[in-house]
């Protein structure tokens, strides 16, 4: 039973397209995240949500729009895709924002923009 | 600014030997959490070990242990009896309110 699941796992698309990545966690956690891992393997936070509310937006271009319909889901929509958006995107969750908690990751979504 | 530094981009270890991966961090907080994550080629992020800053005792999980030096802000990972399956990227992470900050990673190669 996958704790944090994200779809699709692989996505190849052309520049200028719009795409979405979906994420769901069945851990009952309050806090969810999107991380981006670039070709140099740097893991950088993009967004943090707590109980469906946006808490952190780390200077991400507004072409990226997260949406949290409920606290178990955090989807990522990307408009007008650019070559530099090619990366692995990780969804993650933790029990809450303030506690001493472990962060659990999905398997990643490999986005390639051509 | 809160930062996490892994100064070793790559390390190699002979199978069955011991290796230590370094991590330093910068914080002004007194109570926080630190983690080591393993990322194999599949890119899945796997928790290896975690350490609570208020605990003086170093965390241990089977062949994995940490050397936590709070005053020096150092959090190294020791892997004993290295196995081929240990080959991966290893990330040190520090938990800040609402986000986790990761180091740049150390690629560990295990030689047969």
């Amino acid at each position: 039973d996958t704790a944090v699941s994200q779809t699709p796992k692989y996505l190849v698309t052309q520049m200028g397209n719009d795409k979405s990545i979906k994420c769901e966690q069945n851990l009952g956690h309050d806090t969810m995240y999107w991380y981006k891992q670039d070709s140099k393997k740097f893991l950088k936070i993009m967004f943090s949500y707590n109980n469906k509310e946006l808490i952190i937006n780390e200077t991400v271009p507004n072409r990226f729009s997260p949406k949290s319909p409920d606290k178990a889901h955090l989807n990522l929509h990307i408009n007008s895709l650019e070559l530099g958006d090619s990366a692995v995107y990780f969804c993650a969750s933790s029990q809450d924002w303030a506690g001493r908690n472990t962060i659990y990751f999905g398997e990643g979504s490999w986005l390639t923009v051509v | 600014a809160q930062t996490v530094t892994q100064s070793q981009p790559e390390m190699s270890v002979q199978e069955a030997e011991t290796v230590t991966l370094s991590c330093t961090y910068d914080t002004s907080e007194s109570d926080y959490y630190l983690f080591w994550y393993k990322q194999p080629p599949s890119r899945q992020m796997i928790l290896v070990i975690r350490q609570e800053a208020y605990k003086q005792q170093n965390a241990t999980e089977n062949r994995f242990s940490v050397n936590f030096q709070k005053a020096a802000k150092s959090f190294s990972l020791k892997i004993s009896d290295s196995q081929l399956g240990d080959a991966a990227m290893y990330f040190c992470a520090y938990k800040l309110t609402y986000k986790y900050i990761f180091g740049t990673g150390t690629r560990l190669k295990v030689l047969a």
Side-chain angles (χ1 to χ4, degrees):
Chain A
D1 219 19
T2 306
V4 182
S5 59
Q6 39 183 124
T7 55
K9 182 160 179 149
Y10 299 100
L11 187 54
V12 181
T13 188
Q14 289 189 326
M15 279 176 57
N17 283 351
D18 303 338
K19 290 295 176 187
S20 293
I21 305 172
K22 295 185 176 181
C23 178
E24 175 182 4
Q25 54 96 0
N26 62 5
L27 297 166
H29 288 169
D30 287 345
T31 309
M32 295 186 73
Y33 314 82
W34 277 108
Y35 277 82
K36 178 181 179 181
Q37 187 174 40
D38 62 22
S39 57
K40 294 182 180 177
K41 305 291 179 69
F42 294 157
L43 258 173
K44 192 172 178 190
I45 188 158
M46 301 172 68
F47 301 103
S48 172
Y49 268 71
N50 190 63
N51 271 320
K52 306 190 302 177
E53 301 295 323
L54 177 66
I55 304 298
I56 288 178
N57 178 342
E58 288 279 313
T59 59
V60 178
N62 57 16
R63 297 183 296 103
F64 291 79
S65 51
K67 283 194 171 51
S68 184
D70 55 61
K71 73 173 193 177
H73 295 83
L74 180 61
N75 304 322
L76 183 66
H77 187 76
I78 316 170
N79 289 325
S80 304
L81 278 155
E82 301 177 356
L83 293 177
D85 297 332
S86 296
V88 182
Y89 292 85
F90 286 95
C91 178
S93 72
S94 64
Q95 188 170 342
D96 57 51
W97 62 270
R100 298 158 177 172
N101 301 303
T102 301
I103 185 171
Y104 295 89
F105 286 87
E107 294 186 339
S109 294
W110 300 53
L111 173 64
T112 302
V113 183
V114 297
Chain B
Q2 315 284 359
T3 58
V4 177
T5 302
Q6 294 180 247
S7 58
Q8 307 151 315
E10 191 170 294
M11 294 280 286
S12 295
V13 62
Q14 208 67 36
E15 203 176 358
E17 297 292 309
T18 296
V19 65
T20 298
L21 309 184
S22 301
C23 174
T24 58
Y25 57 94
D26 184 25
T27 182
S28 55
E29 299 181 11
S30 59
D31 190 18
Y32 48 88
Y33 276 63
L34 296 161
F35 305 83
W36 277 99
Y37 279 85
K38 170 185 177 181
Q39 188 179 45
S42 67
R43 293 284 192 119
Q44 188 172 0
M45 293 289 287
I46 303 164
L47 175 69
V48 175
I49 200 165
R50 55 180 270 172
Q51 173 78 42
E52 295 90 334
Y54 69 90
K55 286 187 178 178
Q56 292 188 338
Q57 186 173 5
N58 289 324
T60 299
E61 286 287 344
N62 301 313
R63 298 182 295 107
F64 299 88
S65 62
V66 299
N67 183 2
F68 174 50
Q69 302 288 330
K70 191 172 182 180
K73 295 179 184 174
S74 170
F75 181 59
S76 59
L77 175 70
K78 186 170 90 170
I79 307 174
S80 304
D81 186 25
S82 297
Q83 300 175 358
L84 294 177
D86 295 333
M89 283 288 287
Y90 286 82
F91 292 94
C92 176
Y94 165 90
K95 184 178 186 297
L96 206 60
T97 304
Y98 288 122
K99 63 183 176 182
Y100 297 71
I101 298 176
F102 288 82
T104 49
T106 296
R107 179 176 301 283
L108 178 66
K109 294 185 177 181
V110 181
L111 308 172

